[in-house]
Amino acid sequence: VTAGDLVETTARPGIDGGVVTTTRSLSAGSHVVFGPGHVHDMANHGLGPALSVHVSSPVLSTMTFFEQRGDTGLVPVRSEAITDGRAGR
């Protein structure tokens, strides 16, 4: 996070087959490191602007977006190709 404050929500499989979510606040200067299969959402819940930099290695070719649907867990709703470092339909 290079400016402002963001909230990260992370989703992972639960032992009962459902989805467990955790939420944490990240302020300017914070960083997160994770491996493959990490599913998260970053959101600005503040009044001012926020900025984050996401770096992936290897470079992503697609980004998948999910919805949480009750007890069935996370369901992929769409994937977007990454072109010139940006996701676009």
Side-chain angles (χ1 to χ4, degrees):
V1 178
T2 59
D5 297 299
L6 294 171
V7 174
E8 178 192 40
T9 302
T10 302
R12 62 179 174 76
I15 58 173
D16 61 356
V19 175
V20 175
T21 59
T22 55
T23 302
R24 64 178 162 178
S25 297
L26 301 166
S27 57
S30 298
H31 68 277
V32 177
V33 177
F34 50 82
H38 182 82
V39 176
H40 74 149
D41 179 64
M42 300 290 283
N44 180 2
H45 291 282
L47 298 175
L51 178 67
S52 64
V53 176
H54 296 240
V55 179
S56 300
S57 179
V59 175
L60 295 178
S61 59
T62 61
M63 183 180 300
T64 303
F65 294 82
F66 297 85
E67 285 183 0
Q68 186 170 352
R69 297 196 181 149
D71 295 335
T72 62
L74 293 175
V75 177
V77 292
R78 74 180 190 277
S79 289
E80 297 182 5
I82 305 290
T83 306
D84 297 327
R86 298 181 186 171
R89 291 182 190 188

